[in-house]
Amino acid sequence: KAGVTQTPRYLIKTRGQQVTLSCSPISGHRSVSWYQQTPGQGLQFLFEYFSETQRNKGNFPGRFSGRQFSNSRSEMNVSTLELGDSALYLCASSFQQGNEQFFGPGTRLTVL
Amino acid sequence: KNEVEQSPQNLTAQEGEFITINCSYSVGISALHWLQQHPGGGIVSLFMLSSGKKKHGRLIATINIQEKHSSLHITASHPRDSAVYICAVSDVYSGGGADGLTFGKGTHLIIQP
């Protein structure tokens, strides 16, 4: 069974731009969570989607948004990028809410 | 909001040693996760537990719900165990919703040959 995939793996943007990251969960998994990892703050929860609905959201500004499609694939969008948005963005999928999560390889975003 | 503390932050040991990493949290949880992260970023879920003890190969995870404490043990450690080990908890939300993880800062483990 294929694992969680994320695209792109690396991305360089400039301040003020917007970016869309994609996550394809393990086949059959309906829950997708997104996390941000930075050297200063460590890993932080962004949001979780289940059956196309956002179920939980972390403490991030409204510039961070996401969605989930009917095939469970998910995207997250960051608008008006700031230097501090440079991070590793990880998504994780699980069969349903509360189950063990399986992580993707991450997308490393650099904002210049 | 849960606070997750891990200790030690850094640990260097010799191959073959028994390793213990500790994790404590501040409020009730639905589950605790132990994760492993290698250089390059990939994260692997090692254990998810809500009570008792789990074992997988040379890895053992225990949790004490009353004391809000968990430990990850590695027996017969090997250089390939060198990684960052992260403790994370799933909070219990009212209404039964799940569970964005709250993470500890990780333990950077180096096993020397």
Side-chain angles (χ1 to χ4, degrees):
Chain A
K1 194 183 259 191
V4 179
T5 58
Q6 291 187 245
T7 56
R9 293 292 310 278
Y10 302 91
L11 203 51
I12 299 176
K13 292 284 188 179
T14 57
R15 280 179 298 173
Q17 289 187 306
Q18 76 166 20
V19 66
T20 299
L21 311 181
S22 180
C23 172
S24 292
I26 291 172
S27 178
H29 284 193
R30 296 166 62 194
S31 176
V32 174
S33 298
W34 287 90
Y35 302 94
Q36 181 198 64
Q37 186 176 35
T38 60
Q41 298 297 318
L43 275 158
Q44 298 182 90
F45 169 68
L46 278 158
F47 26 66
E48 180 197 9
Y49 287 87
F50 181 78
S51 294
E52 302 177 65
T53 302
Q54 187 179 90
R55 298 299 176 133
N56 275 309
K57 190 176 193 302
N59 189 25
F60 278 82
R63 301 185 296 107
F64 291 81
S65 63
R67 59 178 176 168
Q68 186 180 34
F69 302 95
S70 58
N71 62 357
S72 294
R73 188 177 70 86
S74 178
E75 290 181 346
M76 67 163 282
N77 184 277
V78 188
S79 62
T80 319
L81 283 166
E82 301 177 0
L83 295 179
D85 297 333
S86 294
L88 179 67
Y89 290 89
L90 293 150
C91 83
S93 76
S94 59
F95 179 67
Q96 59 185 23
Q97 292 176 296
N99 287 171
E100 181 181 12
Q101 297 189 25
F102 295 84
F103 286 79
T107 294
R108 190 165 296 278
L109 171 66
T110 301
V111 182
L112 302 177
Chain B
K1 180 169 164 50
N2 227 321
E3 301 290 334
V4 180
E5 298 287 338
Q6 278 186 246
S7 63
Q9 287 188 320
N10 297 284
L11 179 57
T12 299
Q14 296 298 311
E15 183 174 356
E17 286 190 37
F18 181 83
I19 303 300
T20 295
I21 299 171
N22 296 299
C23 175
S24 61
Y25 51 93
S26 56
V27 298
I29 61 172
S30 60
L32 185 141
H33 306 249
W34 281 104
L35 310 170
Q36 180 193 58
Q37 186 172 32
H38 282 283
I43 291 179
V44 175
S45 175
L46 299 175
F47 296 102
M48 175 180 167
L49 65 167
S50 54
S51 64
K53 176 180 174 178
K54 287 190 175 181
K55 184 176 188 292
H56 184 252
R58 297 180 294 106
L59 300 178
I60 302 166
T62 63
I63 188 168
N64 185 318
I65 297 295
Q66 287 72 32
E67 295 190 0
K68 296 185 179 62
H69 180 270
S70 175
S71 293
L72 175 69
H73 305 287
I74 305 175
T75 62
S77 59
H78 189 276
R80 65 176 175 267
D81 297 326
S82 299
V84 177
Y85 291 83
I86 302 167
C87 170
V89 298
S90 305
D91 289 335
V92 177
Y93 289 93
S94 60
D99 23 23
L101 298 179
T102 302
F103 299 87
K105 294 193 181 302
T107 294
H108 190 185
L109 174 66
I110 297 173
I111 304 297
Q112 296 178 335

